[in-house]
Amino acid sequence: MLMFRVKLLIILSFTLIGFAACFDSRPKAFVLADSKSYETSLFRQNCAICHGPEANGRTLYDGTVVPSLREGEFKFNTEAEIYKQIAEGGHGMLPFRNQLTERELRLMAEFVRRDLRKE
Ligand code: HEC
């Protein structure tokens, strides 16, 4: 009888954990590989080479440390600041003012803040 209760308790706790996982309210991370949006394709073409395919950052062959666009201490927090970094570049990042259109620059700033950082 005791063993039965122990087993029942174990099964019950796993069921509860399972339920809890279903109601996890934390926002799911944006998976670039699963996305077909225009912003994602711009990211693949222009940004992934330095920031990595999932925007987690990487170290380049010359030792430049490219930050994650998802987490960490961000240097730029408002959309205007992020826009400026993308348009003008700086500290190892290329300026995109002449590579992307005005609309694309805005889309990318919004994409970083809304999708990657989940703010
Ligand atoms: C040549 C490599 C390179 C490319 C290409 C590149 N970046 Fe960067 N990026 C960097 C580096 C290096 C930094 C860190 C700059 C600094 O420390 O000020 C950075 C910083 C940033 C930041 C600021 C992060 C913060 O801390 O707030 C944003 C946002 C960003 N990049 C977005 C982009 C987007 C969007 C693209 C594509 C349109 C892109 N980057 C393409 C190298 C690159």
Side-chain angles (χ1 to χ4, degrees), residues 51-64:
H51 287 279
E54 287 295 333
N56 291 314
R58 54 184 293 242
T59 303
L60 304 184
Y61 65 91
D62 66 353
T64 306

Side-chain angles (χ1 to χ4, degrees), residues 46-47 49-51 64-67 69 74-76 82 85-86 90-94 96 112 117:
N46 299 287
C47 323
I49 187 166
C50 290
H51 287 279
T64 306
V65 178
V66 183
L69 297 181
F74 300 124
K75 262 192 180 172
F76 308 107
I82 297 172
Q85 172 68 18
I86 299 171
H91 292 105
M93 178 161 155
L94 304 169
F96 282 89
V112 168
R117 295 185 183 179

Side-chain angles (χ1 to χ4, degrees), residues 5 13 15-17 19 22 27-28 34-35 37 39 41-43 45 83 86 91 96 101-102 105 107 116:
R5 281 197 189 163
S13 34
T15 315
L16 275 175
I17 293 169
F19 262 121
C22 292
K28 291 266 179 297
D34 292 346
S35 169
S37 73
E39 290 93 320
S41 74
L42 284 178
F43 186 90
Q45 288 169 46
Y83 172 93
I86 299 171
H91 292 105
F96 282 89
T101 65
E102 182 59 31
L105 290 171
L107 279 177
L116 298 179

